[in-house]
Amino acid sequence: MYIFRLIAFAAVLMVLLVAPNVHAQQLQDVVSPNITINLPSRTLELYSGNELVKEYPIAIGKPSTPTPMGNYSIINKEVNPVWMPPRKGYVVPSGPDNPLGYRWIGFLPLYGIHGTNAPWAIGMAVSNGCVRMNEEDVEELYELVDYGTKVAIIYERVKVRINDKGDVSLGIYPDIYGYRQVSLSEIYSKLAKTGLAGFASEQFLLNQIRTEPDKQVVFARLFKIKVDSIDLNERGVRIDDVMYVPIWPVAAVKKSNVIWDERNQIVRIEKNSAPGVIKGDVIYVTPESLAKLYAGQQQWSDEENCLEINQINLLVNGKVITNDVKTVDNILAVPVIQLANVLGHKSKWDDAKQNFTVQGQIVPIHMIDDQPYIKITKIYDIFKAYVFWNEKQHTIELTYPFKG
């Protein structure tokens, strides 16, 4: 049953297998290598210390002759090994007819990692217990490991992975040897270890258990966060086109305190408040909510996979006036009443009409949180003040009066 099932999976395994994008230089820099072989996923993982360097597809023992589980180490290596078929009394020399391929990496007297002359079998459970690899893969691995390299052979049907792009995936793999079932609690535990508890819905997880996709399924993406030019160690999470930002690390940079109203699911920072949500034991807010808690500018970079959050100061003749800067239609905007007062212009706010005039001229405003703001592109037209956006310093610098 398991063999037939794996044959069906093997036809598409090479397309579906998710592995890190590894450059040759990374392989050359491997130190303290160690190997983990996971039988349900039919994968061999090469680590440099604790860092996953590369994942290879493999073939493993069939259910009647399973690959042994346990902790081993490499005890012998051989180039161009000969093969002695069990109970046959003859030897097959190295060459295209040798099922061991051209490399042997032994971890037990009768078991090893080796190449194959049947690459079509990679991804299946068909061997007598040894671990088969594609020839180019085993030759690469052979050069990276030595005698004594640790080899752990495990049986984990659930794998949570984060690749170098930040994609978070969940894999549910078949119970090849009939050893264990998959439970929701096991998946929750693995998600919690990666800090992603609460991000995958129960319906999604149950569907993965039911369909047993036999591949990694991406369900979220991590992204970097930079606050006032400081890179955070913590990551944001994007799922279903919604971005979640952990509020406490942002507050630490801003040197502000967070009050969590659990009953109403509200985050409060000083006089500002916005909706929040708890995932696992972390409080998150969306970028929209973050804008209500902290004034400033948010910039997203696809290339860097990063959300940058910067406090922006409004300066008039070199003096800081306010950091209450918003974004309207991707253009920075400042509080217009405060600006008019600082510049000494006669102004009037009509609360009933939501109308603001300067020297009798109607000002194009945008209402945010019941306060009127003016885009910086309109400041010169109304106030005749020269505006300079200093992107490097994150400042809006006004010169007034301006003599052009």
Side-chain angles (χ1 to χ4, degrees), residues 38 65 77 205 207 225 241 255 263 294 321 332 377:
N38 187 37
T65 56
K77 297 174 64 182
L205 298 181
N207 183 61
I225 304 171
D241 295 324
K255 294 181 172 56
R263 180 178 179 181
Y294 294 107
I321 302 304
L332 299 177
T377 52

Side-chain angles (χ1 to χ4, degrees), residues 8-42:
F9 283 124
V12 293
L13 179 68
M14 300 306 295
V15 176
L16 297 177
L17 184 66
V18 176
N21 180 20
V22 180
H23 299 288
Q25 185 61 45
Q26 290 176 284
L27 290 174
Q28 293 175 7
D29 293 339
V30 171
V31 294
S32 301
N34 60 92
I35 292 169
T36 296
I37 295 169
N38 187 37
L39 300 176
S41 62
R42 287 92 67 213

Side-chain angles (χ1 to χ4, degrees), residues 221-225 238 243 287 298-309:
R221 189 171 198 184
L222 303 186
F223 58 87
K224 294 180 288 187
I225 304 171
R238 182 197 292 266
M243 298 176 70
Q298 296 182 11
Q299 290 180 306
W300 171 257
S301 170
D302 280 324
E303 182 178 355
E304 297 182 7
N305 189 36
C306 179
L307 177 66
E308 189 169 354
I309 304 159

Side-chain angles (χ1 to χ4, degrees), residues 280-306:
D281 57 357
V282 179
I283 302 173
Y284 292 88
V285 296
T286 64
E288 293 77 17
S289 290
L290 192 63
K292 295 180 179 180
L293 298 170
Y294 294 107
Q297 182 188 41
Q298 296 182 11
Q299 290 180 306
W300 171 257
S301 170
D302 280 324
E303 182 178 355
E304 297 182 7
N305 189 36
C306 179

Side-chain angles (χ1 to χ4, degrees), residues 5-224:
R5 184 178 190 182
L6 289 176
I7 289 174
F9 283 124
V12 293
L13 179 68
M14 300 306 295
V15 176
L16 297 177
L17 184 66
V18 176
N21 180 20
V22 180
H23 299 288
Q25 185 61 45
Q26 290 176 284
L27 290 174
Q28 293 175 7
D29 293 339
V30 171
V31 294
S32 301
N34 60 92
I35 292 169
T36 296
I37 295 169
N38 187 37
L39 300 176
S41 62
R42 287 92 67 213
T43 53
L44 183 151
E45 298 172 346
L46 173 66
Y47 287 84
S48 177
N50 295 321
E51 181 181 355
L52 176 63
V53 175
K54 191 169 184 178
E55 183 178 84
Y56 302 93
I58 59 174
I60 63 172
K62 55 185 178 291
S64 59
T65 56
T67 300
M69 293 189 297
N71 296 311
Y72 310 102
S73 60
I74 294 175
I75 57 175
N76 66 318
K77 297 174 64 182
E78 188 175 349
V79 176
N80 299 329
V82 299
W83 179 53
M84 293 179 288
R87 297 178 296 277
K88 296 297 183 180
Y90 62 88
V91 173
V92 178
S94 177
D97 295 327
N98 190 322
L100 300 184
Y102 298 94
R103 296 292 186 275
W104 170 269
I105 305 171
F107 56 84
L108 278 174
L110 297 177
Y111 294 90
I113 303 164
H114 61 80
T116 181
N117 62 353
W120 53 266
I122 298 298
M124 300 174 67
V126 293
S127 79
N128 288 323
C130 285
V131 175
R132 302 179 187 178
M133 299 181 70
N134 284 309
E135 192 59 42
E136 62 271 23
D137 290 343
V138 74
E139 292 183 17
E140 179 178 83
L141 182 67
Y142 188 94
E143 299 301 323
L144 297 170
V145 299
D146 209 339
Y147 286 78
T149 297
K150 300 299 181 183
V151 179
I153 303 180
I154 62 176
Y155 199 89
E156 291 189 357
R157 294 189 58 203
V158 178
K159 289 175 65 174
V160 177
R161 288 290 180 266
I162 302 172
N163 67 14
D164 55 353
K165 295 180 180 179
D167 292 325
V168 183
S169 61
L170 171 70
I172 308 293
Y173 295 92
D175 191 7
I176 295 173
Y177 296 156
Y179 286 170
R180 58 185 300 190
Q181 299 295 314
V182 173
S183 65
L184 271 177
S185 60
E186 179 185 2
I187 301 176
Y188 285 140
S189 175
K190 288 184 178 292
L191 289 173
K193 289 179 181 178
T194 59
L196 293 164
F199 280 103
S201 69
E202 182 175 315
Q203 181 179 357
F204 167 77
L205 298 181
L206 288 172
N207 183 61
Q208 296 305 296
I209 293 175
R210 179 181 59 81
T211 59
E212 207 172 88
D214 195 27
K215 65 176 181 177
Q216 295 296 124
V217 178
V218 175
F219 68 93
R221 189 171 198 184
L222 303 186
F223 58 87
K224 294 180 288 187

